[in-house]
Amino acid sequence: MTTLHHEHPTHQHAHGAGCGHQAVPHGDHVDYAHDGHLHREHSGHWDECEPAGHTAHEGHPHAHGADCGHDTVRHGDHVDYLHDGHRHAEHDGHYDDH
């Protein structure tokens, strides 16, 4: 999965422990959920951390929902479920990696 390098140019808030936004482990970095999207620190600025393309998570036998036990984070017009260091989003009868 590839992420786009899209700088968030007007981001005045510095994320970190105690900033009030949900920290989301994502591969080799941490994203922060903010206003329905996710930011990551990169070379002294903040980037949007969004997947490129559509990547289905194959072989996912677990159904996510209100009582599944995984944390959730608002992501645009849907909810992602935090699972094994990445985010899953329900899509068209399967889960996508976000």
Side-chain angles (χ1 to χ4, degrees):
M1 174 172 45
T2 306
T3 55
L4 299 175
H5 179 89
H6 178 70
E7 187 172 343
H8 191 89
T10 59
H11 194 72
Q12 302 300 317
H13 177 74
H15 293 294
C19 76
H21 296 109
Q22 186 175 9
V24 179
H26 187 205
D28 64 351
H29 63 274
V30 174
D31 294 335
Y32 290 90
H34 188 247
D35 295 335
H37 51 120
L38 292 114
H39 295 164
R40 70 175 282 192
E41 187 175 18
H42 178 256
S43 298
H45 62 270
W46 294 92
D47 285 345
E48 303 291 341
C49 192
E50 299 296 335
H54 177 100
T55 306
H57 185 86
E58 302 297 332
H60 189 72
H62 176 77
H64 291 295
D67 296 320
C68 74
H70 294 108
D71 289 333
T72 61
V73 62
R74 187 94 186 104
H75 185 202
D77 63 353
H78 63 275
V79 172
D80 287 347
Y81 292 88
L82 309 181
H83 190 276
D84 296 335
H86 53 117
R87 300 174 283 142
H88 290 168
E90 189 171 4
H91 175 254
D92 208 17
H94 63 272
Y95 289 97
D96 288 346
D97 279 325
H98 276 190

